[in-house]
Amino acid sequence: RNEPPQKISKLAVVAETEEDRYDTRTKVLCYECGVEDVEITSGNLPGLVDGVLKANTFARQAEVQAWEQEFTPCEHTLCLEQDVGRQIDSQ
């Protein structure tokens, strides 16, 4: 006998990040010197590598913009005049 599916009581929205999708490996190349595996800890490379990896990608910027809400006033709210707040007696 076919039973109806259980009722869904909660819905969770989980955002998938780039870290979930990709395995990131870093390798520094110097095209000027022809060295293919520059030590990442040498000189100011740690800061540069970290900056590049933490920079917002186009996909991440688009994702942020999709969740941001922009409020633009309409003619009804531009002319709205509010009275001073007052206490309302309970019944």
Side-chain angles (χ1 to χ4, degrees), residues 30-41:
C30 179
Y31 292 112
E32 188 173 311
C33 304
V35 178
E36 290 198 18
D37 198 12
V38 178
E39 183 61 38
I40 294 178
T41 58

Side-chain angles (χ1 to χ4, degrees), residues 12-22 57 59-60 63-64 67:
V13 177
V14 180
E16 187 176 69
T17 63
E18 289 183 359
E19 289 80 21
D20 296 335
R21 290 178 140 192
Y22 304 110
T57 61
R60 191 175 297 151
E63 184 179 324
V64 169
W67 285 97

